Every structure is written in structure tokens, then in C-alpha cells.
Amino acid sequence: MPTRILPAVGDADAVRSLTTLLSQLPDAEPVAPVSDSTQLVDTLARLAAESVDELPEVVVVHERIGPVPALELVREVALRFPAVGVILVTTDVGPGLFAAAMDSGARGLVTLPLSYEDLANRVQAVAQWSVGVRRHLGHGADVFTGVGGTVVTVSGAKGGVGTTLTAVQLALAAQASGRPTALVDLDLQSGDVASYLDVQFRRSVVDLAAITDISPRILAEAVFRHDTGVALLLAPAEGERGEEVTDRAARQIISALRSRYEVVVVDCGAQLSGAGAAAVELAERALLVTTPDVVAVRGAKRTVRMWDRLQIRKAEETTVVVNRHTRSTEIQPPLIQKITGTAIAATTVPANFRELQAAVDAGRVHALDGKGTVRQALWALAAELGLVKAPETALVRRAGGRARGGDRGAAGFRRRRE
């Protein structure tokens, strides 16, 4: 049986040299290469959804793959597709990288410049390992083969525009529709998710920051299960500890969550941290909440430009959500879209703080009246974003939501900040 090999290489010259050598290997069947981490994970997920047997035996990851760093990509592949053997191609032959690669789940290293003998030996060994694992697992194996959860980040154009309320209601809508949902508070210094949901907690996202291999048991110990069913991973009570959550830690935490929940909503607040930047970069949908006033819209434009300069996310791959909207205001969604250069959510959230005040003051925004216009709009927004199942979508729209079709601003991974 031929060995199926999937190269993941971002550099065109490296692709040619690697595919040429792979095609010369005995019993090798190289498949079409992928050029970035997004394509690799999506390709493996699509194949795994059909059958574990459809997965390639070997994945070859080049060290300059992006935007997710190679070792973190190796870790994600090993976690989500344990029957696939990963080989890392690198110029570093030191023991430090070898140990790090093995800890991440790689089954072998091949050094640059490529050698036919070295590559052939590694591919053969890893292919045999992969075949053995599949034989051992059999057809009843409990292996995660889904496409992974949908990650949605919610950021604010400035403080006080309704970022946390939006994130909480999106998570509640997704959970209520029957989709297992996690809500992460990455507003690390001033996160208010716990206050909005009246939660007393001991564990926080900081407890996962120093862990390199987040197992389901460790994740379960850090997550707080709310009465609504939403899994909460909260910001630390001591804001200064937020610095412990690096961009790398955020990537690992979000990867662990998306492998276990269908929807992961991340509240990034209004201040950009390394962890928040990593979340926005990883997300399928990145929302930017603004109010229809000059100061907030300027803040939205400033944020969009900063994300683009840092190569976190392009403007056209960001979706702006207009909160506290009224028909009488001079600044309407089409103007905001023109100013920011982003996509704009079809669903706008009306200005009706009186409806919210009692629930916010009591810390029970999960108990908002289902007939209220703000809650209806936010749940309609969840439907527009595809976070709720179809029956719930229909119910939300019949309840008065204005969500319309279309998937503007769909996004994948972006190149890592330089």
C-alpha cells in the first residue's frame, strides 16, 4: 500500500525541492501540498470527517510554515489527528529543538538541505508508526476527527461600547441552540465576564498559561461550568497576572478549547495584548464592536489599521457590529463600513439600556427578557454568524431578528506578527 504524504510548505522553492524528493521515494504517494497552517488543518479535518483511513499517513511540516509557528502547528495536528505522523523539516539540528519537537508530538526531524536518504528513512519509519497506530485503534477508536470548533473573537473599538455583553449573549445563544460552547475572557486586566454572570471563581486562564500540554482533565479543572451550560474560562482576579498569558499560551489554550467545544467565543476587550492578538489571528470570525458616534468609529478605524500593520488581520476579514443603533443618528452602518473598510454585520443592536440595566446591575445578563429588543438582536447576530443550529436560527428570525444570509468577513489564520 503506498504511503500518502502531505507536504505543508509556505515557500515556493522549498515546495518544489520537497515534492521532487518525495515523488522519488519508493511506495510514496505525495498529495497536493498546502501552503499555510489554515489549509493544513482544514484539509486534515475534511479528510477525517469522511474516515480516519482517508488521512495521509505522513505530514511533512516545513519550519517556515505560517502563520501559526511550526511547533505549535505540530502540536495541534498531533492533538487533533493522533493517527497522523508528523515530520518537521528544519535547519536547526540542535538537541533543544529536537526535544521541543518531540514534546510537541513530532515523530521525526529532517534537516535542511534535504537529503534523499535521510528523508526516505524518516518517512518510512513514521509511515510504519502511523499504520501501526491505526491498526491498534481500529474502527472503534475514540479519536477526535471533527473540523474543530468555530472561534469568534469580540473586540471593542474603545471601552464601554458593549463588547462583553455581546460576547456573553453570543455564547448563550450558541449554547441554547444545542452547540457546546466555551466563553473565554481575554480582557486580562479588566475582564468583566464573571461580574456579568455573577460567578465566584478560583481558577482562571492564568492557570493554563504555563502548561505546555493541556489535557482534557486539566482543561476541565480550569473551566467553570455556568448554570446555562456555557463553559467559562475567566480572566484572573488579579489583573497584573494577565501578563503571564502570552501569545503562545493563548494559542495553545484556544486550540485545546476548539478541539472540545463546537463554539469558542473570546472576549478580547478594547486593549490589544499579545494573547488577544493571537486570538484575533486564529479566529474564524473577528468582530469589532462600535457605537455610532465619532469617537468610537475613529477608535474602530484605528484598531483595524493597527491589526493590518501588525499583520494580525486584514480589514476586509473583520466584521464590525454596530451597538446602540438608532435610525435618527447621523452615523449609520454603511458610513461606518466605508470609514473602516471592514465588513458590517447586517444585524444592528438597538439602543435600549433601560432594558439592560437591572440585569447588568444584578450580574445576571443571562436572565435578560427573551422578548427584549437587545437580546433578540444579539441572538439574531449569533444566527447571522452561524453560531446557532438551524432550528434556533429560524426561531430567532421569527422572534424579530434581522439577520440576513451571507458570510462576509470569513477569515482563517493570518500571518504571524513580525
Side-chain angles (χ1 to χ4, degrees), residues 175-337:
Q175 180 70 38
S177 75
R179 302 188 70 184
T181 302
L183 173 60
V184 187
D185 195 347
L186 278 188
D187 188 0
L188 297 170
Q189 293 186 340
S190 54
D192 284 323
V193 168
S195 298
Y196 273 45
L197 295 174
D198 193 24
V199 170
Q200 302 294 325
F201 65 99
R202 293 183 302 107
R203 301 288 187 183
S204 75
V205 65
V206 171
D207 294 299
L208 298 177
I211 300 175
T212 57
D213 187 8
I214 303 176
S215 67
R217 182 182 61 81
I218 292 174
L219 186 63
E221 289 178 353
V223 165
F224 181 91
R225 182 70 63 177
H226 192 258
D227 293 341
T228 59
V230 176
L232 304 178
L233 189 55
L234 301 167
E238 306 84 6
E240 66 275 12
R241 294 199 63 195
E243 296 180 357
E244 299 175 30
V245 185
T246 63
D247 56 343
R248 180 175 181 177
R251 291 178 186 279
Q252 293 176 349
I253 291 167
I254 292 173
S255 294
L257 288 168
R258 80 189 310 169
S259 70
R260 294 169 177 84
Y261 296 93
E262 288 189 28
V263 176
V264 180
V265 180
V266 185
D267 179 0
C268 295
Q271 298 296 321
L272 183 67
S273 64
V280 172
E281 190 178 40
L282 286 171
E284 278 73 32
R285 299 299 294 266
L287 307 183
L288 184 59
V289 181
T290 186
T291 48
D293 58 83
V294 172
V295 175
V297 174
R298 284 178 177 172
K301 182 178 180 179
R302 186 167 55 245
T303 297
V304 168
R305 288 184 172 181
M306 177 173 60
W307 286 358
D308 187 59
R309 288 195 305 271
L310 296 176
Q311 298 182 352
I312 296 170
R313 202 172 195 90
K314 295 180 180 179
E316 59 269 24
E317 295 170 344
T318 302
T319 302
V320 166
V321 176
V322 182
N323 188 24
R324 300 175 197 154
H325 174 262
T326 63
R327 293 184 179 181
S328 60
T329 184
E330 293 183 7
I331 301 178
Q332 292 293 321
L335 177 59
I336 296 174
Q337 182 177 20

Side-chain angles (χ1 to χ4, degrees), residues 3-10 14-16 18-20 22-23 28-36 38-44 46-47 54-56 58-61 65:
T3 299
R4 292 162 296 180
I5 308 170
L6 174 58
V9 188
V15 168
R16 284 192 292 271
L18 180 58
T19 53
T20 299
L22 290 175
S23 64
E29 184 183 317
V31 297
V34 295
S35 59
D36 59 41
T38 305
Q39 288 184 333
L40 175 59
V41 175
D42 289 349
T43 298
L44 293 176
R46 175 174 50 79
L47 294 172
E54 296 298 320
L55 289 167
V58 180
V59 169
V60 181
V61 176
I65 193 74

Side-chain angles (χ1 to χ4, degrees), residues 177 388-395:
S177 75
V388 300
K389 290 184 178 179
E392 182 69 10
T393 302
L395 288 173

Side-chain angles (χ1 to χ4, degrees), residues 353-364:
F353 185 72
R354 182 180 300 177
E355 177 186 317
L356 304 175
Q357 188 168 5
V360 171
D361 290 345
R364 293 184 57 81

